[in-house]
Amino acid sequence: MGHIFDGIRILDMGTGGTVPLALKWLGDHGASVIKVETHLRLDSARMGGPFYEFIPGANRGGWQEWLNSSKYSFTVNLSKPKGRDLIKQLVVKWQPHVLAESYRPGIMKRWGLGYDSIRKLKPDIIYWSSCIEGQYGPHCMRLGYGPVTTNLSGAGYLTGWPDRPPASVPLAYGDFPAVGSGMIALTSALLRQRRTGKGVHLDQSQYECNLYVMAAPLLEYLVNGRVMERNGNRLSYAAPHGVYPCEGEDRWVAIAVFTDGEWRSFCDVIGNPDWTRDPRFATLSGRKQSEDELDRLIGEWTRTHKAEDIEAAMQARGVAANVVEDNQDICEDSQLKHRGHFQELEHPEVGKVKGELPPFRLSKSSERHFRAPLIGEHNSLVLSEFLGLSDDEISDLYAEGAITTDADLPQPKKR
């Protein structure tokens, strides 16, 4: 079985989460992806922990495996004219279908690598620019990263309890809605490129991608002019709707009941205690009006049962309920194991590592996941085979600092 993106060539000049992860998924499905990076200022995936065996190092970061597996690594010094010229040579000689970047607007242009410059070298290039707020507009130059985008899009404002300040989300959540939309735009552009022979500049605003996650509160304002406020775990059109304590230490289950039919099934599962026949709980509106007491009574029942048992019993009766999984639960999840989500790979510096497959499977195309590259691991491949440079030409590039090496590495910081 082949791979759906066999033959597609991509220059990955992205950093952070959005562009690298989207291109990793294409690499997992057959695309040849060159990760352009430098030893002088390590990519965030190489700088950030967790590090294997808690030892910092450019090749030891978990994020590197997660974002840049199934790629080649080519290290170049873009502050040098000859370094920038190597990117142009790759566009001309290697003929990538896609060049992707996630710098602040204007930086690639300043280097002579903007869309207008690159399309003169390869008119059918697909040039994907992804940044926080797009390539133009009054705020396009704002600095940001995933956690900031999460708050910019309103998710932080809505996270927390009504009587407390916004709790925000301690993750770069804002990066990941943009991965899917970037994939859709990129594959659409590849189809158009194949059909028409024409290229395009994809200008992606990660802020706008995140707004689609916030559809419900946005519509509240667009339709009714109402600003949605923090409401803890509750939802205006469901009750019970929350996270409840279970047997064991720090174990929890999430339960959501949307209809009166689901409510009757819920009551059957918990054994129909007397309080479930209280008329106040007979309808959704009644349960919403008495939600504090409802949650208290449910919590008294759930804390005497295992979260996994509650999940199984509720699911069997058509009630949405799931264990609130911690990191260990996820890594041991039987469904993820069955689908082969986590892949064990051999890494030359740290031994066995765990990578992840894309979250979709194609029935007529297999995956070909391979480990993330060591920094600069494929410089010889790129310089000799893809660019056809002689040994003398390559030696000159190293001597002039256009290609970076381990000698240029800064000392990684532990965090």
Side-chain angles (χ1 to χ4, degrees), residues 99-280:
L99 187 155
E101 59 93 10
S102 57
Y103 292 100
R104 289 176 72 187
I107 290 182
M108 289 290 280
K109 183 177 181 180
R110 194 165 70 229
W111 283 337
L113 301 174
Y115 174 59
D116 289 339
S117 297
I118 295 298
R119 70 173 175 173
K120 288 177 182 174
L121 304 174
K122 191 173 187 299
D124 67 343
I125 193 84
I126 296 167
Y127 192 104
W128 176 22
S129 297
S130 180
C131 62
I132 299 297
E133 298 197 49
Q135 295 295 303
Y136 60 89
H139 299 153
C140 72
M141 296 301 289
R142 279 180 172 173
L143 292 171
Y145 68 120
V148 174
T149 313
T150 305
N151 289 288
L152 184 65
S153 64
Y157 184 81
L158 286 172
T159 303
W161 302 97
D163 58 345
R164 299 182 190 177
S168 191
V169 180
L171 300 168
Y173 191 89
D175 282 355
F176 302 108
V179 175
S181 67
M183 281 276 293
I184 292 169
L186 196 54
T187 51
S188 300
L190 284 166
L191 288 171
R192 179 178 180 272
Q193 185 188 58
R194 175 176 292 183
R195 192 177 67 249
T196 67
K198 296 181 178 179
V200 68
H201 184 196
L202 301 179
D203 171 10
Q204 183 185 43
S205 159
Q206 297 173 17
Y207 176 28
E208 292 176 46
C209 293
N210 276 264
L211 296 186
Y212 285 89
V213 179
M214 302 302 296
L218 271 180
L219 286 172
E220 278 290 344
Y221 189 81
L222 292 171
V223 174
N224 296 317
R226 188 176 80 93
V227 175
M228 186 178 285
E229 300 294 341
R230 292 177 293 285
N231 200 22
N233 292 322
R234 292 176 179 173
L235 195 65
S236 62
Y237 48 93
H241 186 283
V243 172
Y244 301 92
C246 297
E247 182 181 310
E249 185 177 351
D250 203 20
R251 301 298 290 172
W252 304 81
V253 67
I255 300 173
V257 172
F258 293 90
T259 69
D260 290 342
E262 291 173 4
W263 168 248
R264 289 190 288 274
S265 297
F266 171 86
C267 293
D268 288 343
V269 171
I270 67 172
N272 290 304
D274 290 343
W275 64 262
T276 61
R277 290 186 284 276
D278 187 323
R280 293 178 300 163

Side-chain angles (χ1 to χ4, degrees), residues 354-409:
K354 285 287 183 69
E356 292 183 74
L357 287 182
F360 52 86
R361 306 289 183 271
L362 302 175
S363 63
K364 303 298 183 184
S365 173
S366 61
E367 301 88 13
R368 51 135 211 188
H369 189 70
F370 57 89
R371 67 163 173 83
L374 307 180
I375 186 166
E377 181 176 355
H378 301 99
N379 285 356
S380 294
L381 173 73
V382 173
L383 294 166
S384 298
E385 295 191 24
F386 296 168
L387 293 178
L389 300 179
S390 67
D391 289 345
D392 286 344
E393 289 173 320
I394 293 172
S395 295
D396 288 344
L397 288 168
Y398 276 108
E400 295 169 19
I403 306 297
T404 64
T405 69
D406 287 350
D408 298 311
L409 276 174

Side-chain angles (χ1 to χ4, degrees), residues 52-53 55 59-61 65 346-353:
Y52 287 95
E53 299 172 313
I55 302 172
N59 299 313
R60 304 185 67 88
E65 196 62 44
E346 195 67 36
H347 190 284
E349 188 166 324
V350 300
K352 294 189 183 303
V353 297

Side-chain angles (χ1 to χ4, degrees), residues 276-345:
T276 61
R277 290 186 284 276
D278 187 323
R280 293 178 300 163
F281 300 142
T283 64
L284 174 61
S285 62
R287 291 192 295 276
K288 293 300 296 181
Q289 291 174 23
S290 303
E291 205 160 10
D292 286 344
E293 184 174 1
L294 178 66
D295 282 344
R296 180 184 63 79
L297 291 165
I298 292 172
E300 289 178 357
W301 180 83
T302 58
R303 68 175 67 250
T304 63
H305 296 75
K306 291 183 177 178
E308 293 79 2
D309 294 341
I310 296 172
E311 175 189 273
M314 294 289 175
Q315 290 280 349
R317 292 300 306 272
V319 177
N322 283 103
V323 173
V324 178
E325 293 191 331
D326 60 22
N327 302 347
Q328 182 176 352
D329 293 326
I330 293 169
C331 292
E332 296 174 355
D333 188 291
S334 57
Q335 175 69 9
L336 294 176
K337 286 182 178 178
H338 185 80
R339 287 174 61 85
H341 181 79
F342 295 107
Q343 299 281 308
E344 191 168 84
L345 303 166

